[in-house]
Amino acid sequence: MALAYDGAIQRLIDAFAHLPGIGPKGAQRIAFYLLNASDEESQGLIDAIAEVKEKIRFCDICGNVCEASPCPVCADPRRDHSVICVVEEPKDVMSIERTREYRGLYHVLGGVINPMANVQPSDLNIAKLIERLKDSEVTEVILALNPNVEGEATTSFLSQLLSQTDITVTRLASGLPVGGDLEYADEITLGRALAGRRAVV
């Protein structure tokens, strides 16, 4: 049987280990860093987590994270309201914004279709997207989902769903590696992919 630390320190390690991208050793390093951190630094982390849980919500229009709904993008009259870029998660909005190539609106699905994880289309923010497209000035929907199996399945589902409308459906052009995540793409690659988007056949 593997040895574990006593009480609170092991619970803290276990809590960090549940976070995405942090393994057991990374969780242990963070826990011991906080153990030796000043009270001010530790309290700052506690306050930041509490503030996020208290203040952050999802935009009623696009599903992006914000402190007040509608989010700054949806509320900005200078944005191009004829184009909606569909992304998987709120972090993808920031990835595309950093390219400075896109001035339209966004729609966050909150995931992708993944039967292995029991995620069906009804579990995603698709109904609200369809609702946004009714009686609106949208002429183009960009499908900017991660180029992996689940992202491709969701892109295919959405393109078929939107083929019943007069709206042009496009997707990001090549330049993004298959199996990669938008979060880790550099600004130049993502910018070129966005600028060179093509129609979904």
Side-chain angles (χ1 to χ4, degrees), residues 20-51:
I22 301 178
K25 289 188 176 181
Q28 180 177 293
R29 280 194 296 272
I30 295 170
F32 276 95
Y33 174 84
L34 288 174
L35 186 63
N36 293 311
S38 67
D39 291 345
E40 183 179 343
E41 188 174 1
S42 299
Q43 190 59 49
L45 178 61
I46 293 167
D47 292 343
I49 293 172
E51 187 176 23

Side-chain angles (χ1 to χ4, degrees), residues 32-192:
F32 276 95
Y33 174 84
L34 288 174
L35 186 63
N36 293 311
S38 67
D39 291 345
E40 183 179 343
E41 188 174 1
S42 299
Q43 190 59 49
L45 178 61
I46 293 167
D47 292 343
I49 293 172
E51 187 176 23
V52 162
K53 296 300 289 181
E54 177 187 344
K55 294 183 177 180
I56 297 301
R57 55 179 297 181
F58 295 100
C59 177
D60 295 326
I61 298 173
C62 72
N64 194 16
V65 290
C66 57
E67 287 195 12
S69 185
C71 69
V73 173
C74 289
D76 188 348
R78 298 168 299 176
R79 306 290 300 209
D80 182 356
H81 286 238
S82 70
V83 185
I84 292 180
C85 183
V86 178
V87 297
E88 181 178 337
E89 300 288 351
K91 62 188 178 185
D92 299 327
V93 171
M94 191 53 63
S95 295
I96 292 176
E97 283 295 285
R98 283 197 299 264
T99 71
R100 303 182 187 275
E101 292 281 344
Y102 180 70
R103 293 298 302 161
L105 301 176
Y106 292 94
H107 190 83
V108 180
L109 293 177
V112 286
I113 298 170
N114 186 352
M116 298 295 288
N118 203 27
V119 179
Q120 306 299 324
S122 58
D123 298 317
L124 305 178
N125 196 16
I126 294 175
K128 191 168 283 188
L129 171 64
I130 302 303
E131 194 63 35
R132 288 180 72 184
L133 299 178
K134 294 178 181 176
D135 304 319
S136 74
E137 56 188 304
V138 177
T139 59
E140 180 185 6
V141 170
I142 304 169
L143 301 178
L145 305 178
N146 290 320
N148 52 29
V149 174
E150 294 81 10
E152 290 298 316
T154 309
T155 295
S156 178
F157 177 85
L158 289 174
S159 63
Q160 289 179 12
L161 190 64
L162 298 176
S163 67
Q164 311 300 320
T165 70
D166 294 329
I167 296 169
T168 300
V169 180
T170 60
R171 64 181 300 169
L172 296 186
S174 59
L176 293 174
V178 174
D181 289 336
L182 291 179
E183 181 184 7
Y184 302 114
D186 64 274
E187 289 83 355
I188 295 174
T189 299
L190 192 53
R192 287 176 180 167

